[in-house]
Amino acid sequence: VQLQASGGGLEQAGGSLGLSCEVSGRIFYWYSVAWFRQAPGKEREFVAAIRWSGDNRIFANPVKGRSTISRDDAKNSVNLQVNNLKPEDTAVYYCAARPGSYTDDDVDYAYWGPGTQVTVSS
């Protein structure tokens, strides 16, 4: 399974961020996809995940209420949008996949993309 994230860059505080993760190499339908992020000097943390069936989603508290996650099975991709950006959203964002249901623990994900940098200026 290969993953490729796109959409990072420099954003303004209060703006919106759209990230996309394209998954290839296996039957995408059976894979749950999650987003994690790692800020400088901090451990990697969970952001959001969507179940393989698309009927369940979870969000970490720092982004809950201002984020959406969706999947497009026709394009084998998962999209994350974070609104009302804050400087503390600055991090390298990674998408990860696992067969079956999602979890919020990065050790449960075997497949990872290379990450995309997001910088939020105040």
Side-chain angles (χ1 to χ4, degrees), residues 1-3 22-26 28 76:
V1 178
Q2 294 83 43
L3 293 88
E22 184 174 345
V23 182
S24 61
R26 285 291 188 271
F28 175 67
N76 284 10

Side-chain angles (χ1 to χ4, degrees), residues 9-120:
L10 178 63
E11 307 286 349
Q12 296 277 349
S16 295
L17 166 70
L19 298 177
S20 182
C21 177
E22 184 174 345
V23 182
S24 61
R26 285 291 188 271
I27 301 175
F28 175 67
Y29 182 75
W30 300 111
Y31 282 76
S32 295
V33 176
W35 288 92
F36 293 83
R37 67 186 184 186
Q38 187 167 21
K42 295 187 177 181
E43 293 188 353
R44 186 162 57 190
E45 65 174 5
F46 172 76
V47 178
I50 186 166
R51 195 166 177 261
W52 62 270
S53 57
D55 59 349
N56 277 298
R57 301 158 174 81
I58 53 171
F59 297 92
N61 286 337
V63 301
K64 190 176 294 183
R66 59 187 181 98
S67 299
T68 60
I69 187 170
S70 61
R71 57 188 294 148
D72 185 340
D73 289 343
K75 297 181 178 179
N76 284 10
S77 66
V78 169
N79 301 309
L80 173 71
Q81 180 162 335
V82 182
N83 302 314
N84 190 21
L85 287 168
K86 306 174 182 180
E88 50 264 43
D89 292 320
T90 295
V92 177
Y93 283 71
Y94 300 89
C95 59
R98 68 186 305 271
S101 192
Y102 54 58
T103 79
D104 61 1
D105 193 336
D106 59 357
V107 300
D108 293 328
Y109 290 82
Y111 305 103
W112 291 82
T116 183
Q117 176 70 48
V118 173
T119 303
V120 182

